[in-house]
Amino acid sequence: MEGAAERGVLAVLVVLAGLAACGSGSEIIEGPKNVTALKGSEARFNCTISQGWKLIMWALRGTVVLSMTPSEPIITSDRFTSASYQEGGNFISEMIIHDVQLSDAGQVKCSLQNSDRDGSAFLSVQVMGQLLIPGGSLVVIEDKPCNVTCRALNWTTLPDLSWEIGVPVSHSSYYSVPEPEDLQSAVSILALTPQGNGTVTCVAEMKGLDVRESVTVNLTVVPPPLESSYQSEIRKSATVKTSKDTVGTKLKSANENYGYRSDEPRTTQPASLHAMSSEAGVPEQCSSRQPHQESDHRQLGPANHPQVSFNVASPKKVRNVTLV
């Protein structure tokens, strides 16, 4: 490759030396125009020249990369090739830059040997980075506002970001801003209130190029969640407990004396305290103790407890109560 380049440069010098002796009456009618190219693509520049030219030179960033004589082009690199056209008696020379790189960005110049006039333009190179919506497919709640985020990473220069909404909505809006700590990245946030299933698409368009990149995600809309049965049961239990507490308070405030027994003859035994408490809806008090009727005199508990005795042989009932 280096040998071919050296031979090409040498050929240009030989031609220049010959043209310098005979001169040239041609001139540049119209120079190249500015071009914006995507990295890895092709960039084309045209230069219109009047008849009679002897040597056309193309330079990139101050270095001659392609030359042409009326008989053939002088190519010094495979990345730079040429094409030619005739238009209205004038000659059009086209330089094609293949596999454009960021390092190619700069001035492009078309010039003629022995001419004070040249034509120049500027090559801008852009890099298409990544475009993504983090999280992939989304599940959202019907009629509840939500945000969808799109990120453009490692772009030169930053693209224009927009949205295409393929779902029924009651409201939508978006805004796009550069990332504060990354000049080659940007973020766009879509705010919408969805009413049905569909898709949303983030679109990136590069300035000065007919280049478009997009990313689409599915949006699944679900109805608002109903109250859980567990929460309903908790509320019901709280209501029942409050009712029981109220009843218990009323019964306790009546100061019912369970130790009193009527002198009237009875044919049935009274219900137990546990049963009475349950029927009355009062929680059982496990720490309390109630007297129990015996057929003879019996101490019911330790000496420090109240003692209750009944004399069943006497025709007259006597209640003796000793309190300590």
Side-chain angles (χ1 to χ4, degrees), residues 9-62:
V9 172
L10 181 60
V12 171
L13 294 176
V14 172
V15 172
L16 290 177
L19 292 175
C22 63
S24 173
S26 181
E27 63 177 358
I28 296 176
I29 298 174
E30 183 178 5
K33 300 182 183 302
N34 294 340
V35 171
T36 299
L38 191 64
K39 179 185 176 182
S41 66
E42 293 183 350
R44 294 173 176 263
F45 297 87
N46 290 338
C47 188
T48 303
I49 305 167
S50 63
Q51 296 292 337
W53 61 274
K54 301 299 181 180
L55 179 68
I56 302 172
M57 294 174 290
W58 286 95
L60 175 63
R61 297 170 57 92

Side-chain angles (χ1 to χ4, degrees), residues 59-318:
L60 175 63
R61 297 170 57 92
T63 300
V64 175
V65 294
L66 177 68
S67 300
M68 294 185 63
T69 67
S71 58
E72 62 179 352
I74 303 173
I75 298 175
T76 59
S77 171
D78 292 339
R79 292 186 57 233
F80 305 93
T81 60
S82 67
S84 59
Y85 315 92
Q86 295 288 337
E87 183 181 81
N90 296 321
F91 180 82
I92 299 177
S93 174
E94 181 178 51
M95 179 181 69
I96 306 168
I97 304 176
H98 303 271
D99 190 21
V100 173
Q101 300 298 309
L102 282 172
S103 58
D104 294 333
Q107 188 184 57
V108 175
K109 182 182 290 187
C110 169
S111 62
L112 298 175
Q113 178 64 30
N114 294 334
S115 174
D116 295 334
R117 183 180 177 184
D118 58 30
S120 63
F122 195 85
L123 171 62
S124 299
V125 181
Q126 295 189 3
V127 177
M128 179 182 292
Q130 293 177 295
L131 188 67
L132 55 92
I133 297 178
S137 298
L138 305 173
V139 178
V140 297
I141 299 176
E142 183 181 2
D143 282 329
K144 183 177 181 180
C146 64
N147 292 337
V148 182
T149 301
C150 178
R151 295 188 181 279
L153 306 176
N154 303 319
W155 293 67
T156 307
T157 58
L158 290 179
D160 292 327
L161 297 176
S162 61
W163 291 85
E164 295 176 354
I165 302 174
V167 296
V169 298
S170 59
H171 167 79
S172 67
S173 63
Y174 74 89
Y175 67 92
S176 304
V177 293
E179 292 280 12
E181 299 180 357
D182 186 354
L183 299 180
Q184 295 182 339
S185 300
V187 60
S188 183
I189 298 178
L190 169 67
L192 74 164
T193 304
Q195 295 182 316
N197 298 335
T199 61
V200 291
T201 301
C202 180
V203 179
E205 294 181 294
M206 304 192 75
K207 301 178 179 69
L209 290 173
D210 188 18
V211 175
R212 169 189 169 106
E213 180 74 5
S214 64
V215 58
T216 300
V217 296
N218 293 323
L219 206 67
T220 301
V221 177
V222 298
L226 299 175
E227 292 183 340
S228 67
S229 57
Y230 173 77
Q231 291 174 332
S232 300
E233 291 300 325
I234 289 295
R235 280 195 293 272
K236 289 180 182 178
S237 299
T239 303
V240 171
K241 184 178 185 302
T242 302
S243 301
K244 288 185 177 182
D245 289 344
T246 303
V247 174
T249 301
K250 291 181 179 179
L251 291 177
K252 288 179 181 178
S253 63
N255 296 324
E256 182 176 356
N257 184 2
Y258 291 107
Y260 172 75
R261 295 178 182 275
S262 173
D263 291 339
E264 298 294 330
R266 291 179 294 179
T267 58
T268 59
Q269 294 294 326
S272 66
L273 292 180
H274 176 75
M276 292 172 62
S277 299
S278 299
E279 292 173 359
V282 180
E284 181 180 1
Q285 302 297 325
C286 300
S287 61
S288 65
R289 300 183 66 179
Q290 299 294 338
H292 180 70
Q293 184 176 355
E294 297 287 348
S295 60
D296 55 0
H297 301 290
R298 180 178 297 180
Q299 185 174 323
L300 296 179
N304 61 342
H305 282 197
Q307 297 181 3
V308 182
S309 62
F310 298 93
N311 188 351
V312 296
S314 173
K316 182 178 180 181
K317 291 186 178 179
V318 178

